[in-house]
Amino acid sequence: MPKTLLLSSSSFFFSRHNKFSSLPRKFLYPSTHFPSLSWPFSGVFPRPIHACKVFTMAERTTTSSSHSQKYTNRLAAEHSPYLLQHAHNPVDWYPWSEEAFAEARKRDVPIFLSIGYSTCHWCHVMEVESFENEEVAKLLNDCFVSIKVDREERPDVDKVYMTYVQALYGGGGWPLSVFLSPDLKPLMGGTYFPPEDKYGRPGFKTILRKVKDAWNNKKDMLVKSGAFAIEQLSEALSASAASNQLPDGLPENALQLCAEQLSKSYDSRFGGFGSAPKFPRPVEIQLMLYYSKKLGEIGKPGGAKESLKMVLFSLQCMARGGIHDHIGGGFHRYSVDECWHVPHFEKMLYDQGQLANVYLDVFSITRDVFYSFIARDILDYLRRDMIGSEGGIFSAEDADSAEFEGATRKKEGAFYIWTSKEIDGILGEHTNLFKEHYYVKPSGNCDLSRMSDPHNEFKGKNVVIEGNDSSALASKLGMPFQEYFDVLGECKKKLFDVRSKRPRPHLDDKVIVSWNGLAISSFARASKILKGERQGTDFNFPVVGCDPKEYMEVAEKAASFIRRHLYNEQTHRLQHSFRNGPSKAPGFLDDYAFLISGLLDLYECGGSIDWLVWATELQDMQDELFLDREGGAYFNTPGEDPSVLLRVKEDHDGAEPSGNSVSAINLARLASMVSGSKSDHYSQIAEHLLAVFETRLKEMAMAVPLMCCAADLLSIPSRKQVVLVGHKPSVEFENMLAAAHTSYDPNKTVIHIDPTNTADMEFWEANNGKVALVARNNFAADKVIALVCQNFTCSPPISSPKSLEDLLSKNTPSAV
């Protein structure tokens, strides 16, 4: 086997969303990270293809995936949008199932496994080029059993084979194409394969024939090697802790190391960390905000302001860039250039939830409504376009769409881009103002970087981007700023109305528990943090400007949807996703961890005690299903499905945070709410978890920014508790809750209790008698009382929201 399989365990903690995850259209040809396949297919891939040679092909193949229904395969009975997209291919697809495995064993043929997701651009390309091709289909049907997997529906299956491809070949992405033995061991794999031999590299048909020949002639060697690969990966991924906690000083050092590493990659010209293509990785922002606050607390205001400055500039550049959908709200997946201008246009729920939260955090630090506006922009986009009638929040919108009704081709970005002439015909008298503000040009504006549009795909088109300072332009036109701001809003609404009549990108309307957990958190937090906006603040389209309490209603409705449709009240188990019914897949670690985090935010921001009760029940079930009680940390799957060959302890905080990082923070929060042995139990699990990843924190802190924050949180002797006592719901209680959430402080827990509420008192009597006692001793029928407690000491009772704000704002990093 290749030596890369023999690396240390730390080499195998990969992100679900590395920089090849969405297969960048402009810079990285998706097969750049194909395996060389020097074994056992010597010479199959002599060298990578340079990107500039393939984009004509890619453009030619971005046609609609609709195929005359001459064929119908087993995928027609599935619920996944991705699988349904392939239901009428001539390929005889199976879903991931025992039926498929049995067929491969019966015929003694290898399995071709194709993994993707419904909004994946290059998955569409490979479908059109290969899976709708009858010659390719015949090869697959005659020589293989072909299986389609939606990676969003079965992340456990995807993780096994993505880890294999990454470990052997150094990269991965989607579509993921892997050949397996009938007992599911991997034989070889890659990502996107073009159909024909080109530029000295074999096409998909050639690869199929090579694999078939190798299976017929070298089967024993293939099978042994596949088994060895899984054995090596399983050993590498089963990390255990040498002790039950991290060494003294490591949390502080890891936090500092991560911040220093990120600072070195900071782009002082365009914001963000790293170079093009640029991904909005919110965990990096979270780390820098946390570190800034930490420096402020230890008397290093200069360092605190410098770290905060990087965050502010990065978030401003992202919000003004084309990665932000100025017309409809929300953010696209990533920018192909260094200046956040031309995006890969797909929109993912996990980005929206996390980005809304970091913009809320920065608003709570700066009180600058620029950041609250962007948070609202994201949340209002979700409310308008991404929520079902029962409250579940959908997973994604595609990058590709038809340019006009009836078009047989789909093009990336067609829904979002504009010609200058189109804008002239829509905006009338305000055309010039809008075009100057958003850098719209007759020749097209994708010229800010050589990386923005190197192959002239968007020639004559404009991706709107704020290219000039609003105040300066308003002054130049002799307009009051608010009037200028309002005119821009009117223009955006007119363009939105026209855009709404275009063919929409495909909507993946799966409801995924983990991603809903991220969104629930941001909606709940917005309901209180945004109460800090100045009274009379004006907003313009696409922001609605609603009362922040409406966001709490969205959060509660989403959580209720999950409890009603994806939670078994008898077994206390979650299912992973919902579309026309629950998926067959069980809940995974991320589903439990992200939902628990969302429920804790839901409770802390004023939700019912029932949400906190459910969070503790889910934590108990998470421990039962995923916790390695001897070795420490959580596996990503329950380990109950024999067809899933690896259980991974994942730590990488990528496009999404890792389940272990989020769990460590959840455990710290829960430990600060309950008392006695249960609090100790939560803390011990968290400390043992972090110890598993000691080497990672020491040597590769930048890969685990949220875990660095978690380690530091756990190292603090006492978490700050804000206890609110009074009648709820009431205006006074809401105002005090808003005050409790005014300042940015990740080391803060908000507990609210109404001594006249039986459910409240029963929970706290059973789980933390001290809180119940504080409630009884400080209850007043005519006011709400707050106490701030830390290090076994509580402040005197506070009854004024302003006084509570002042007390909590100490050591908050000052605005830059």
Side-chain angles (χ1 to χ4, degrees):
M1 286 298 296
K3 292 181 181 178
T4 44
L5 275 182
L6 305 176
L7 297 173
S8 66
S9 62
S10 65
S11 299
F12 288 87
F13 293 100
F14 293 104
S15 167
R16 283 181 303 287
H17 303 275
N18 59 29
K19 291 202 173 184
F20 310 104
S21 65
S22 294
L23 303 173
R25 183 186 63 249
K26 296 201 163 43
F27 309 111
L28 295 172
Y29 178 48
S31 60
T32 298
H33 292 267
F34 280 179
S36 64
L37 298 188
S38 56
W39 179 95
F41 308 103
S42 179
V44 170
F45 291 130
R47 66 180 186 277
I49 304 175
H50 195 272
C52 67
K53 296 181 180 178
V54 301
F55 287 109
T56 301
M57 178 193 71
E59 172 65 16
R60 186 177 68 247
T61 59
T62 54
T63 58
S64 168
S65 62
S66 63
H67 190 279
S68 62
Q69 295 189 10
K70 179 179 176 182
Y71 303 97
T72 298
N73 56 53
R74 293 166 188 80
L75 301 186
E78 296 297 306
H79 295 314
S80 156
Y82 178 61
L83 299 191
L84 290 171
Q85 286 172 351
H86 295 264
H88 300 291
N89 295 163
V91 178
D92 188 17
W93 291 114
Y94 287 77
W96 184 261
S97 61
E98 178 54 37
E99 180 189 8
F101 313 149
E103 180 69 11
R105 292 193 296 268
K106 175 184 170 185
R107 290 171 51 196
D108 189 27
V109 295
I111 290 167
F112 170 65
L113 173 63
S114 176
I115 302 177
Y117 55 101
S118 75
T119 60
C120 165
H121 173 73
W122 283 96
C123 300
H124 303 331
V125 173
M126 192 164 178
E127 180 191 12
V128 171
E129 291 180 335
S130 293
F131 303 144
E132 290 184 353
N133 181 297
E134 293 183 353
E135 183 184 354
V136 172
K138 187 174 190 317
L139 278 168
L140 284 168
N141 297 341
D142 289 349
C143 306
F144 302 87
V145 168
S146 300
I147 298 178
K148 254 300 169 190
V149 167
D150 181 342
R151 66 161 300 273
E152 294 173 357
E153 192 174 63
R154 290 304 303 259
D156 54 338
V157 176
D158 178 64
K159 173 54 66 177
V160 173
Y161 300 106
M162 181 62 77
T163 301
Y164 166 80
V165 168
Q166 287 176 317
L168 259 66
Y169 310 126
W174 296 277
L176 184 66
S177 305
V178 188
F179 294 91
L180 316 178
S181 63
D183 64 352
L184 309 180
K185 305 299 193 302
L187 308 177
M188 60 80 71
T191 53
Y192 160 87
F193 296 102
E196 306 292 345
D197 299 354
K198 287 188 178 182
Y199 312 116
R201 300 194 66 175
F204 190 44
K205 289 183 234 179
T206 298
I207 291 166
L208 293 176
R209 294 185 185 104
K210 292 272 188 182
V211 175
K212 172 182 175 290
D213 291 344
W215 181 257
N216 291 338
N217 299 313
K218 300 180 181 179
K219 183 193 304 181
D220 290 345
M221 183 171 66
L222 285 174
V223 171
K224 286 178 184 177
S225 298
F228 181 70
I230 289 296
E231 179 186 326
Q232 290 287 297
L233 288 172
S234 180
E235 182 180 333
L237 293 165
S238 299
S240 295
S243 66
N244 291 328
Q245 60 185 31
L246 292 172
D248 291 344
L250 179 55
E252 181 181 349
N253 292 339
L255 184 70
Q256 181 177 340
L257 176 61
C258 187
E260 289 174 351
Q261 290 174 336
L262 285 173
S263 297
K264 288 176 183 176
S265 70
Y266 173 65
D267 182 346
S268 60
R269 184 178 179 193
F270 295 111
F273 301 94
S275 56
K278 276 189 174 172
F279 289 72
R281 189 182 172 208
V283 289
E284 295 173 337
I285 300 293
Q286 289 177 276
L287 181 286
M288 296 303 286
L289 288 176
Y290 185 96
Y291 186 60
S292 174
K293 178 169 173 55
K294 188 84 175 177
L295 290 175
E297 290 171 346
I298 61 175
K300 296 183 177 179
K305 286 189 176 184
E306 192 59 34
S307 296
L308 182 59
K309 198 174 184 179
M310 294 182 201
V311 168
L312 301 188
F313 186 61
S314 297
L315 293 183
Q316 289 167 15
C317 291
M318 286 167 52
R320 293 184 169 125
I323 192 174
H324 174 212
D325 180 4
H326 295 270
I327 306 302
F331 281 77
H332 300 293
R333 178 75 274 271
Y334 64 84
S335 167
V336 302
D337 52 40
E338 72 278 18
C339 48
W340 302 104
H341 184 197
V342 178
H344 174 57
F345 289 90
E346 148 187 45
K347 289 182 176 179
M348 306 300 295
L349 178 58
Y350 57 77
D351 284 323
Q352 315 308 324
Q354 293 179 90
L355 285 169
N357 261 334
V358 295
Y359 278 99
L360 288 168
D361 285 339
V362 173
F363 170 71
S364 69
I365 294 168
T366 65
R367 285 291 174 267
D368 185 342
V369 293
F370 173 88
Y371 302 101
S372 69
F373 182 96
I374 301 301
R376 283 178 176 269
D377 166 292
I378 297 167
L379 300 177
D380 289 348
Y381 154 67
L382 292 178
R383 285 210 304 171
R384 186 189 64 238
D385 290 345
M386 298 293 286
I387 298 181
S389 58
E390 292 188 68
I393 308 176
F394 302 143
S395 62
E397 287 193 295
D398 204 342
D400 300 0
S401 60
E403 290 188 280
F404 52 87
E405 289 295 344
T408 57
R409 294 160 52 111
K410 288 186 177 182
K411 291 190 69 175
E412 182 164 4
F415 185 71
Y416 299 101
I417 58 180
W418 303 86
T419 65
S420 178
K421 191 173 181 180
E422 283 178 306
I423 291 173
D424 291 343
I426 296 167
L427 299 186
E429 64 174 312
H430 298 308
T431 296
N432 290 337
L433 180 152
F434 182 89
K435 287 167 73 170
E436 186 168 4
H437 184 90
Y438 285 109
Y439 188 59
V440 174
K441 304 196 302 181
S443 59
N445 71 355
C446 300
D447 56 4
L448 293 177
S449 164
R450 63 181 178 81
M451 305 175 101
S452 297
D453 189 28
H455 308 289
N456 294 318
E457 295 177 76
F458 296 137
K459 185 177 182 179
K461 307 286 187 177
N462 293 272
V463 177
V464 293
I465 177 173
E466 291 190 85
N468 293 288
D469 177 71
S470 303
S471 300
L473 286 175
S475 178
K476 174 183 171 182
L477 295 170
M479 296 174 68
F481 180 74
Q482 189 57 53
E483 181 185 346
Y484 180 87
F485 192 57
D486 291 342
V487 168
L488 285 177
E490 293 166 11
C491 292
K492 287 186 284 184
K493 179 63 166 67
K494 288 179 181 179
L495 292 173
F496 175 84
D497 290 341
V498 171
R499 194 177 82 172
S500 297
K501 296 172 185 174
R502 295 175 174 175
R504 289 195 68 89
H506 161 72
L507 170 68
D508 190 324
D509 57 357
K510 283 195 308 297
V511 176
I512 298 174
V513 172
S514 56
W515 298 358
N516 270 250
L518 295 172
I520 287 167
S521 170
S522 60
F523 276 110
R525 295 181 72 239
S527 73
K528 293 301 173 287
I529 291 173
L530 294 180
K531 285 182 175 290
E533 291 170 330
R534 292 187 302 274
Q535 211 165 15
T537 298
D538 290 317
F539 300 101
N540 67 28
F541 194 84
V543 169
V544 175
C546 66
D547 186 322
K549 71 180 180 183
E550 293 183 25
Y551 293 131
M552 176 60 84
E553 295 167 8
V554 176
E556 291 186 319
K557 199 171 179 182
S560 296
F561 178 93
I562 293 170
R563 181 147 199 168
R564 188 164 59 251
H565 293 290
L566 291 167
Y567 179 68
N568 186 312
E569 297 284 354
Q570 281 70 49
T571 64
H572 295 179
R573 288 192 174 202
L574 292 167
Q575 295 298 112
H576 173 63
S577 63
F578 181 97
R579 187 178 187 273
N580 298 328
S583 68
K584 298 168 190 171
F588 303 110
L589 173 62
D590 288 2
D591 295 311
Y592 285 82
F594 295 8
L595 180 57
I596 290 167
S597 178
L599 293 174
L600 292 177
D601 285 327
L602 200 49
Y603 166 73
E604 289 197 45
C605 291
S608 163
I609 193 70
D610 293 340
W611 300 124
L612 180 55
V613 172
W614 192 25
T616 61
E617 291 173 353
L618 288 171
Q619 186 63 57
D620 291 343
M621 183 51 61
Q622 178 182 315
D623 293 349
E624 180 180 325
L625 294 175
F626 306 100
L627 182 62
D628 181 352
R629 295 185 184 276
E630 291 187 9
Y634 294 98
F635 291 106
N636 65 328
T637 71
E640 298 168 339
D641 185 344
S643 72
V644 180
L645 304 184
L646 293 176
R647 294 182 84 194
V648 178
K649 292 180 182 177
E650 194 163 8
D651 66 347
H652 187 273
D653 297 316
E656 300 170 57
S658 77
N660 274 300
S661 296
V662 174
S663 293
I665 293 174
N666 290 345
L667 290 163
R669 296 173 72 180
L670 287 167
S672 75
M673 290 183 172
V674 302
S675 62
S677 60
K678 196 161 189 179
S679 177
D680 293 340
H681 175 70
Y682 288 141
S683 295
Q684 287 162 8
I685 292 175
E687 288 168 358
H688 196 190
L689 179 163
L690 293 168
V692 171
F693 305 108
E694 177 181 338
T695 300
R696 190 74 147 162
L697 289 164
K698 277 181 181 175
E699 298 176 1
M700 300 180 68
M702 190 171 159
V704 289
L706 193 64
M707 188 169 286
C708 291
C709 297
D712 193 76
L713 278 175
L714 264 294
S715 72
I716 297 170
S718 177
R719 190 170 170 87
K720 187 183 295 179
Q721 295 170 310
V722 181
V723 183
L724 306 180
V725 181
H727 279 305
K728 54 182 180 179
S730 66
V731 173
E732 293 76 16
F733 204 91
E734 287 295 305
N735 289 340
M736 197 66 95
L737 260 175
H741 289 280
T742 295
S743 61
Y744 168 78
D745 188 355
N747 192 38
K748 174 181 66 185
T749 296
V750 177
I751 294 169
H752 51 87
I753 181 168
D754 182 348
T756 66
N757 183 298
T758 302
D760 274 16
M761 292 304 290
E762 285 179 353
F763 177 85
W764 293 111
E765 289 283 7
N767 291 280
N768 193 334
K770 292 177 182 177
V771 170
L773 181 63
V774 164
R776 282 195 298 267
N777 290 346
N778 288 277
F779 178 66
D782 60 342
K783 58 185 176 181
V784 179
I785 299 297
L787 298 99
V788 179
C789 306
Q790 193 169 22
N791 298 321
F792 309 104
T793 303
C794 289
S795 68
I798 299 167
S799 58
S800 156
K802 181 66 169 64
S803 299
L804 180 58
E805 282 185 33
D806 291 343
L807 181 59
L808 293 175
S809 66
K810 292 179 180 178
N811 293 324
T812 297
S814 55
V816 176

